[in-house]
Amino acid sequence: MAKIVVSFLLVLCANVFAAQNNVLNVDRAIPKSMHLSFPNDNNITPKKSDFSILNYVLMSNEEGERWAVITLTNLASGKRELNQEHILALFADGSRLTPSEFKLGFNSDQTQSVTVSFAEHKFPVLSVYSSNDQ
């Protein structure tokens, strides 16, 4: 019976530890005024849009998941739909990636926040931008 209890406690502790590794933490903010100049040999750019990023909060966990809460404004005078092609993340190794698939509708001049995933990556996200923020 004691072996069963010890085994159960070990499994429980392992599950608690694993769950703690999944928790997202807010990464240290990098000032928007900081100039980063990684080469972009493949000319990877976000799809042209009427969206401008007001601010973003970068998050990650110990497993390498990268997330961002992004606040954007629709600069158009009509309704627009934001999707993953309108946003790029710049990583510390110079790579650029779109977030996982999503869609969000905007009315004219509307500002909204959205939480997006940039999957797992060894390097942290340094910035997030749209075609109007370059």
Side-chain angles (χ1 to χ4, degrees), residues 23-39:
V23 174
L24 291 170
N25 295 302
V26 174
D27 296 337
R28 186 173 79 77
I30 296 174
K32 205 170 187 178
S33 63
M34 178 180 271
H35 180 71
L36 300 169
S37 188
F38 288 101

Side-chain angles (χ1 to χ4, degrees), residues 1-6:
M1 180 69 173
K3 285 184 178 181
I4 293 173
V5 171
V6 169

Side-chain angles (χ1 to χ4, degrees), residues 27-84:
D27 296 337
R28 186 173 79 77
I30 296 174
K32 205 170 187 178
S33 63
M34 178 180 271
H35 180 71
L36 300 169
S37 188
F38 288 101
N40 190 359
D41 297 334
N42 295 327
N43 197 27
I44 299 170
T45 59
K47 183 178 179 181
K48 295 283 185 201
S49 70
D50 294 313
F51 298 103
S52 179
I53 295 176
L54 296 177
N55 55 60
Y56 52 86
V57 177
L58 302 174
M59 300 173 292
S60 64
N61 63 22
E62 291 182 17
E63 293 180 350
E65 291 180 90
R66 308 295 175 197
W67 291 78
V69 176
I70 308 168
T71 302
L72 307 100
T73 298
N74 174 16
L75 303 175
S77 58
K79 292 183 178 184
R80 297 289 186 271
E81 184 175 84
L82 174 73
N83 67 45
Q84 69 281 357

